[in-house]
Amino acid sequence: MTETDKRLLAEAKRVREFAYCPYSKFAVGAAVLGSSGTIYGGCNVENASYSVTNCAERTAIFHAISAGENDILAIAVVAEGVKPVPPCGACRQVIAEFRIPHILLANLADQVREMTLSELLPDAFSDEDLEL
Ligand SMILES: [Zn+2]
């Protein structure tokens, strides 16, 4: 694991503390590395209507894109669990949209699982599938 990986995991763990999760009580933090070198964090933000809840992964990615990053090199996700928690299907699709090549999943016991995009979402739907 690189020093950058460690920084990403530390930021994901830090912003997890800001999670707004009064319904699930399941706090998640994520952090992404932009090609500029800047790290952007995000946490899950729940809603009483449940379905508009935003996961930490998407919050972090949207944070980076909104700041002008157009190339994301890695994402780290931290949650409490007996093993590193995998992203949900919606987040996998968003991670695929931005072709994030390096994925780090960790729990609070510092167990870390590294994955590639093709491992996370094989045969993903992409812009290429919109071509006629
Ligand atoms: Zn998700």
Side-chain angles (χ1 to χ4, degrees), residues 20 23 43-56 58-59 62 88 90-91:
Y20 177 76
Y23 309 105
C43 59
N44 52 329
V45 182
E46 294 183 342
N47 190 283
S49 74
Y50 286 37
S51 68
V52 296
T53 290
N54 208 66
C55 300
R58 283 177 285 139
T59 304
F62 298 163
C88 77
C91 289

Short mmCIF file of all heavy atoms in Angstrom, two decimals, residues 20 23 43-56 58-59 62 88 90-91:
data_model
loop_
_atom_site.label_atom_id
_atom_site.label_comp_id
_atom_site.label_asym_id
_atom_site.label_seq_id
_atom_site.Cartn_x
_atom_site.Cartn_y
_atom_site.Cartn_z
N TYR A 20 -24.38 11.61 7.90
CA TYR A 20 -25.73 11.91 8.38
C TYR A 20 -26.55 10.64 8.15
O TYR A 20 -27.01 10.38 7.03
CB TYR A 20 -26.32 13.10 7.60
CG TYR A 20 -27.74 13.40 7.98
CD1 TYR A 20 -28.03 14.06 9.18
CD2 TYR A 20 -28.79 13.04 7.16
CE1 TYR A 20 -29.34 14.34 9.55
CE2 TYR A 20 -30.11 13.31 7.51
CZ TYR A 20 -30.38 13.95 8.70
OH TYR A 20 -31.67 14.22 9.06
N TYR A 23 -31.13 7.10 10.24
CA TYR A 23 -32.05 5.98 10.01
C TYR A 23 -31.32 4.64 10.06
O TYR A 23 -31.72 3.72 10.76
CB TYR A 23 -32.78 6.18 8.67
CG TYR A 23 -33.40 7.56 8.63
CD1 TYR A 23 -32.84 8.57 7.85
CD2 TYR A 23 -34.48 7.88 9.45
CE1 TYR A 23 -33.36 9.86 7.87
CE2 TYR A 23 -35.00 9.17 9.49
CZ TYR A 23 -34.44 10.16 8.69
OH TYR A 23 -34.94 11.43 8.73
N CYS A 43 -19.35 11.70 2.76
CA CYS A 43 -19.98 10.75 3.67
C CYS A 43 -21.38 10.45 3.17
O CYS A 43 -21.89 11.13 2.28
CB CYS A 43 -20.03 11.33 5.09
SG CYS A 43 -20.94 12.88 5.20
N ASN A 44 -22.00 9.43 3.75
CA ASN A 44 -23.38 9.16 3.37
C ASN A 44 -24.30 10.21 3.99
O ASN A 44 -24.07 10.68 5.12
CB ASN A 44 -23.81 7.73 3.71
CG ASN A 44 -23.57 7.30 5.15
OD1 ASN A 44 -22.63 7.76 5.79
ND2 ASN A 44 -24.41 6.42 5.64
N VAL A 45 -25.31 10.59 3.22
CA VAL A 45 -26.28 11.59 3.65
C VAL A 45 -27.66 11.00 3.42
O VAL A 45 -28.11 10.88 2.28
CB VAL A 45 -26.10 12.91 2.86
CG1 VAL A 45 -27.09 13.96 3.37
CG2 VAL A 45 -24.67 13.43 2.95
N GLU A 46 -28.30 10.60 4.52
CA GLU A 46 -29.59 9.93 4.41
C GLU A 46 -30.74 10.93 4.39
O GLU A 46 -30.55 12.14 4.61
CB GLU A 46 -29.76 8.94 5.58
CG GLU A 46 -28.75 7.81 5.49
CD GLU A 46 -28.92 6.76 6.58
OE1 GLU A 46 -29.58 7.04 7.61
OE2 GLU A 46 -28.39 5.66 6.40
N ASN A 47 -31.94 10.39 4.10
CA ASN A 47 -33.12 11.23 4.02
C ASN A 47 -34.31 10.44 4.55
O ASN A 47 -34.36 9.21 4.36
CB ASN A 47 -33.35 11.63 2.56
CG ASN A 47 -34.40 12.70 2.42
OD1 ASN A 47 -35.59 12.41 2.50
ND2 ASN A 47 -33.98 13.92 2.22
N ALA A 48 -35.27 11.15 5.15
CA ALA A 48 -36.46 10.48 5.68
C ALA A 48 -37.22 9.73 4.59
O ALA A 48 -37.92 8.76 4.87
CB ALA A 48 -37.38 11.49 6.36
N SER A 49 -37.06 10.14 3.35
CA SER A 49 -37.73 9.43 2.25
C SER A 49 -36.89 8.27 1.73
O SER A 49 -37.26 7.61 0.76
CB SER A 49 -38.05 10.39 1.10
OG SER A 49 -36.87 10.72 0.40
N TYR A 50 -35.77 8.01 2.39
CA TYR A 50 -34.88 6.88 2.11
C TYR A 50 -34.30 6.85 0.70
O TYR A 50 -33.09 6.78 0.54
CB TYR A 50 -35.56 5.52 2.40
CG TYR A 50 -35.71 5.21 3.88
CD1 TYR A 50 -36.01 6.19 4.80
CD2 TYR A 50 -35.58 3.90 4.33
CE1 TYR A 50 -36.16 5.89 6.15
CE2 TYR A 50 -35.73 3.59 5.69
CZ TYR A 50 -36.02 4.60 6.57
OH TYR A 50 -36.17 4.30 7.90
N SER A 51 -35.14 6.88 -0.33
CA SER A 51 -34.63 6.61 -1.68
C SER A 51 -33.71 7.70 -2.20
O SER A 51 -32.95 7.45 -3.13
CB SER A 51 -35.78 6.38 -2.65
OG SER A 51 -36.50 7.58 -2.84
N VAL A 52 -33.77 8.90 -1.66
CA VAL A 52 -32.88 9.95 -2.14
C VAL A 52 -31.59 10.02 -1.31
O VAL A 52 -30.78 10.93 -1.49
CB VAL A 52 -33.56 11.33 -2.19
CG1 VAL A 52 -34.69 11.32 -3.19
CG2 VAL A 52 -34.03 11.77 -0.82
N THR A 53 -31.40 9.06 -0.44
CA THR A 53 -30.14 8.97 0.30
C THR A 53 -28.96 8.91 -0.66
O THR A 53 -29.04 8.28 -1.72
CB THR A 53 -30.17 7.69 1.18
OG1 THR A 53 -31.13 7.89 2.23
CG2 THR A 53 -28.80 7.38 1.76
N ASN A 54 -27.89 9.60 -0.31
CA ASN A 54 -26.68 9.56 -1.14
C ASN A 54 -25.56 8.86 -0.39
O ASN A 54 -25.26 9.21 0.74
CB ASN A 54 -26.25 10.98 -1.52
CG ASN A 54 -25.52 11.01 -2.84
OD1 ASN A 54 -26.12 10.73 -3.87
ND2 ASN A 54 -24.24 11.30 -2.81
N CYS A 55 -24.98 7.87 -1.04
CA CYS A 55 -23.89 7.12 -0.41
C CYS A 55 -22.61 7.95 -0.35
O CYS A 55 -22.42 8.89 -1.12
CB CYS A 55 -23.60 5.86 -1.20
SG CYS A 55 -24.95 4.70 -1.35
N ALA A 56 -21.72 7.54 0.53
CA ALA A 56 -20.44 8.24 0.70
C ALA A 56 -19.62 8.25 -0.58
O ALA A 56 -18.99 9.26 -0.92
CB ALA A 56 -19.65 7.58 1.82
N ARG A 58 -20.58 8.18 -3.75
CA ARG A 58 -21.06 9.16 -4.72
C ARG A 58 -20.87 10.58 -4.21
O ARG A 58 -20.56 11.48 -4.99
CB ARG A 58 -22.53 8.88 -5.06
CG ARG A 58 -22.65 7.70 -6.04
CD ARG A 58 -24.09 7.36 -6.34
NE ARG A 58 -24.68 6.67 -5.21
CZ ARG A 58 -25.92 6.88 -4.75
NH1 ARG A 58 -26.70 7.75 -5.32
NH2 ARG A 58 -26.37 6.20 -3.72
N THR A 59 -21.02 10.80 -2.91
CA THR A 59 -20.78 12.14 -2.38
C THR A 59 -19.35 12.58 -2.66
O THR A 59 -19.09 13.71 -3.11
CB THR A 59 -21.07 12.19 -0.87
OG1 THR A 59 -22.40 11.74 -0.62
CG2 THR A 59 -20.90 13.59 -0.32
N PHE A 62 -18.86 13.18 -6.49
CA PHE A 62 -19.52 14.41 -6.93
C PHE A 62 -18.79 15.63 -6.37
O PHE A 62 -18.75 16.68 -7.02
CB PHE A 62 -20.99 14.41 -6.50
CG PHE A 62 -21.81 13.29 -7.10
CD1 PHE A 62 -23.04 12.95 -6.56
CD2 PHE A 62 -21.37 12.57 -8.22
CE1 PHE A 62 -23.82 11.93 -7.11
CE2 PHE A 62 -22.13 11.54 -8.77
CZ PHE A 62 -23.36 11.23 -8.21
N CYS A 88 -22.40 -0.25 -3.06
CA CYS A 88 -23.68 -0.73 -3.60
C CYS A 88 -23.63 -0.66 -5.13
O CYS A 88 -22.70 -0.11 -5.73
CB CYS A 88 -24.83 0.11 -3.06
SG CYS A 88 -24.99 1.74 -3.81
N ALA A 90 -25.43 1.08 -7.26
CA ALA A 90 -25.47 2.44 -7.83
C ALA A 90 -24.08 3.07 -7.79
O ALA A 90 -23.64 3.69 -8.77
CB ALA A 90 -26.47 3.29 -7.06
N CYS A 91 -23.39 2.91 -6.69
CA CYS A 91 -22.04 3.49 -6.58
C CYS A 91 -21.08 2.80 -7.53
O CYS A 91 -20.20 3.45 -8.10
CB CYS A 91 -21.54 3.42 -5.14
SG CYS A 91 -22.42 4.58 -4.07
#
